[in-house]
Amino acid sequence: MSSLQVNIPESLRLRAQALASDDGVALEQFIATALAEKVAVLDAETYIRDRAARGSREKFERVLAKVPDVEPEGGDRLSPGNGAMP
């Protein structure tokens, strides 16, 4: 583990302290977890962009052409309020 001194606004520290307390963890642990979550999000974005850059529209169209053009089964049907497009 390493130590890092960071200056943050008092209002942010107080809010983070309250959230950490509500979660039953030390402020340091709360901040380390929040930082880990942020790093994971940024790493995931980079990974997705890299994968997309290697993608091929031609290959996508070829795979998509294999999908049968049939109505979805009852349980697979989208209804308003659960992701259906207008």
Side-chain angles (χ1 to χ4, degrees):
M1 281 284 204
S2 63
S3 179
L4 174 67
Q5 183 176 348
V6 179
N7 294 318
I8 60 173
E10 183 67 9
S11 59
L12 180 57
R13 186 194 64 78
L14 291 172
R15 183 67 181 125
Q17 181 68 58
L19 291 168
S21 179
D22 290 348
D23 207 25
V25 298
L27 178 59
E28 292 79 5
Q29 183 179 350
F30 180 83
I31 292 171
T33 301
L35 179 59
E37 289 174 4
K38 179 65 175 188
V39 169
V41 166
L42 294 174
D43 283 348
E45 182 179 342
T46 299
Y47 172 79
I48 291 168
R49 286 185 193 281
D50 289 348
R51 288 291 306 251
R54 294 193 317 260
S56 160
R57 182 71 181 196
E58 179 185 331
K59 289 178 183 178
F60 169 74
E61 295 288 346
R62 213 173 348 172
V63 170
L64 193 59
K66 296 178 183 180
V67 177
D69 186 17
V70 297
E71 287 292 316
E73 296 178 13
D76 291 338
R77 194 173 305 277
L78 294 177
S79 60
N82 71 349
M85 299 291 288

